[in-house]
Amino acid sequence: MLRRPRRCRLGPALGIVVAFGLCERSAAAHPHLQAVGESSLGYTDNAQASASNGGSGARTQSLFWMLSPGVVAALAQPRYLQRLAYHYEYDLYFNSGASSGSSHRLDYRGFFELSRRINLVLGGNATQSDRFSKVAFAAPGADTVGAVPTGTGSYLAAAADEALAFDLAEGWRSWQSGSFVLQRPLFGTEAPHSTGVAARWGIERTFFEDAVGVEARGDYTWVTHTVAVDSTPLANQRQASAGGVALWRHDWGRYLTSSAEAGAMRVQRLSTERGFWTPVGAATLAYATEDGEAEAGYAHTITTNALLGQTLLVDDFRLRGTVPLTKKGELGLAGTLGYQRGRLLDEYAELATRVSVMLADVSLDWQATKLLALGVRYQHIRQKSGASAPPLPVSFVQNNILVGATFRFPPEKDMPRAYRSPRRVDRSDELREGMQPAAQGPRGPADTR
C-alpha cells in the first residue's frame, strides 16, 4: 500500500523535467547551474506542534540543526525563461528524536512567449517530507497561512499550474488558468488523501491607470480517509464550486498598485447533494520594484485545505514582503504577518467548527560576500480550534528561532531571476531578466491566482 505513493512521487518530477527540456535548440540555451548550501541552528518550544491541551503528546522544547544542499538550473532566451530547483533538507532535533527527519523538494517555473499576443506560464512542485517541516521551515514572505495538523508524519504533496494570457486587441486582454493539487500520506501515516483541480477564465479592459473585468471560477475536490467535524470516519467526499467575480485594478504612482474583486460562489457537496451560495471578495495593495515587493491584502473566500482534507469559509488578512534595506541590497528583510479565521464545512455544507491561525514570520539577511549570506529568523504560530483530536486542526502554539548561513555558487546575481508576472495595469513590474524587455515585446500575463 505504501508503494503507490512512491510511484506518484515520480510522476510530477518526470513531468517537470520533460517540460524543462521543451525548448528550442540553440547554442545560447546552455543552462546556468548553481549549487546551494544552507545550514541553520535553531530552537523551538514545541518540536511536534503538540496540542495546547496535551491531547497529542507532551510539548517538547528542543535545539535543532537544519542542513539543506540543493541545485538550481536556469535557462534564459529571448522567448522563454525557466528555472528548475531541487533541495534536500535534513532536520535533527536534539531533544525530540521522533521529530527528526528529512525532505525532498522539486520546483519548476517557466515563462514562454508563444507569439506576440500569447504568453504561457507553467509551474509545478513535488515534496516528500515530514509534515511538521512544512510548518517550521516554510520560506518567510512566502504568503502561506493556513491551518495545519499537529504531531509528526510523512506525506507527499504535488501541485501544477498554468496560466495562458491573450492580448485580444488594443486595451483588451483575456486569460485562462488551471491548477492541480495532490496530497498523500506515506509510510503508515494516518491522514486524508486529497485531490483537487481548479480552472479560471477572465477578460478585462484597460484604461490608462485602470482595468476592469470579470472572471469565472470553478473547483472540484475529492477527499478520502477523512473525518467529520465530530471526528467520526466519513466516506469519500466530493465537492464542486462555481461562480464569478467582477475585477478592478488601479495603479497609484510608480510603485503602488491595487486590486479589488467581488462576486459569489456556489458550493455543492456532491456526496450529500447539499450546498449553499456565499459572497466572495478580496482587496490588495501591492508595492513592487526590481529588487523587492510587498503586499497587504484581505480575502473572504471558500478554500480547501489539502493537508487537512477539509473545506473552510475563511476571512484572510495578510501582510508580506521581501524588501532591501540598503541601497546596494546587501541587507534585506523578508516576512509574513497573517491571520486567517474561518469555519469548517461539514458533510452537509453547514458551517461547523471554528478555526483561526496567526503566523508571524520575519527574517533579516546580510549578504556578507558574493557567495555567503547570513541571517536570523523568528517565527510564531498560534492555532486555535474547536476540534478536539487530529486529523482535524487542534489548538497549539509554536515559536522558532533560527540563525544560519546560505552559500550560493555562482552568486545569485549571476543567475537569471525567476519570471515575475505583472500586477500593475501598465505591467511595468514584470520581471523578464535575460529576455526581450517588455516595452519592446508582447506583454506578459497578469497574476491570475
Side-chain angles (χ1 to χ4, degrees), residues 11-315:
L14 182 60
I16 292 171
V17 172
V18 170
F20 193 73
L22 293 178
C23 308
E24 59 188 72
R25 297 172 181 249
S26 170
H30 297 299
H32 299 259
L33 297 177
Q34 181 187 58
V36 181
E38 183 179 358
S39 183
S40 297
L41 184 65
Y43 164 82
T44 181
D45 64 355
N46 194 355
Q48 296 189 20
S50 298
S52 300
N53 59 12
S56 62
R59 180 167 172 167
T60 304
Q61 301 179 9
S62 179
L63 292 175
F64 60 85
W65 176 51
M66 184 273 286
L67 180 64
S68 176
V71 62
V72 179
L75 283 172
Q77 281 284 285
R79 299 188 64 179
Y80 65 80
L81 175 61
Q82 301 183 88
R83 284 176 70 100
L84 178 68
Y86 166 76
H87 292 278
Y88 170 79
E89 182 177 304
Y90 179 73
D91 309 312
L92 175 63
Y93 282 73
F94 296 103
N95 297 342
S96 180
S99 300
S100 298
S102 62
S103 61
H104 304 263
R105 183 173 176 88
L106 189 67
D107 289 282
Y108 169 79
R109 180 64 57 180
F111 170 80
F112 302 86
E113 179 190 301
L114 303 183
S115 73
R116 292 190 60 82
R117 291 183 175 272
I118 304 175
N119 293 331
L120 173 67
V121 177
L122 295 176
N125 63 76
T127 302
Q128 183 273 312
S129 176
D130 295 319
R131 179 177 294 140
F132 71 90
S133 296
K134 182 178 179 67
V135 179
F137 302 108
D143 200 25
T144 53
V145 180
V148 295
T150 61
T152 61
S154 187
Y155 72 96
L156 168 69
D161 61 87
E162 58 82 22
L164 193 64
F166 309 84
D167 286 330
L168 302 175
E170 184 66 29
W172 286 93
R173 186 182 69 91
S174 180
W175 65 88
Q176 173 276 327
S177 68
S179 61
F180 167 82
V181 295
L182 175 75
Q183 184 79 36
R184 293 291 185 272
L186 298 177
F187 314 131
T189 300
E190 295 184 4
H193 297 206
S194 304
T195 305
V197 294
R200 306 284 188 267
W201 177 85
I203 188 170
E204 72 173 8
R205 178 74 164 90
T206 59
F207 305 91
F208 299 104
E209 297 176 340
D210 294 275
V212 293
V214 293
E215 182 179 77
R217 301 174 176 178
D219 302 83
Y220 175 79
T221 58
W222 179 24
V223 182
T224 62
H225 300 83
T226 187
V227 298
V229 293
D230 60 358
S231 297
T232 58
L234 282 178
N236 296 350
Q237 296 296 299
R238 294 178 296 116
Q239 176 181 290
S241 62
V245 295
L247 308 170
W248 172 62
R249 297 188 294 140
H250 179 77
D251 293 342
W252 304 88
R254 184 176 179 183
Y255 300 114
L256 284 175
T257 187
S258 64
S259 64
E261 62 181 50
M265 295 285 291
R266 171 71 183 182
V267 181
Q268 190 72 24
R269 291 283 196 175
L270 304 178
S271 307
T272 57
E273 299 183 351
R274 299 284 295 275
F276 68 98
W277 285 94
T278 181
V280 294
T284 62
L285 179 65
Y287 166 89
T289 68
E290 281 197 7
D291 301 315
E293 59 179 328
E295 176 186 315
Y298 163 77
H300 177 80
T301 188
I302 290 285
T303 181
T304 296
N305 187 314
L307 195 60
L308 297 173
Q310 301 287 335
T311 299
L312 301 92
L313 176 64
V314 299
D315 290 288

Side-chain angles (χ1 to χ4, degrees), residues 358-418:
M358 186 180 74
L359 170 65
D361 187 351
V362 61
S363 70
L364 182 65
D365 298 302
W366 173 47
Q367 194 69 42
T369 70
K370 292 182 179 180
L371 303 178
L372 181 66
L374 305 176
V376 59
R377 179 180 176 188
Y378 170 73
Q379 185 182 69
H380 172 80
I381 306 170
R382 181 180 297 271
Q383 180 168 290
K384 186 177 181 180
S385 171
S388 58
L392 294 173
V394 297
S395 300
F396 76 91
V397 178
Q398 184 184 68
N399 293 279
N400 306 305
I401 301 174
L402 299 91
V403 178
T406 303
F407 175 84
R408 299 180 188 272
F409 179 81
E412 191 66 26
K413 69 175 185 178
D414 293 342
M415 293 286 290
R417 285 186 291 181

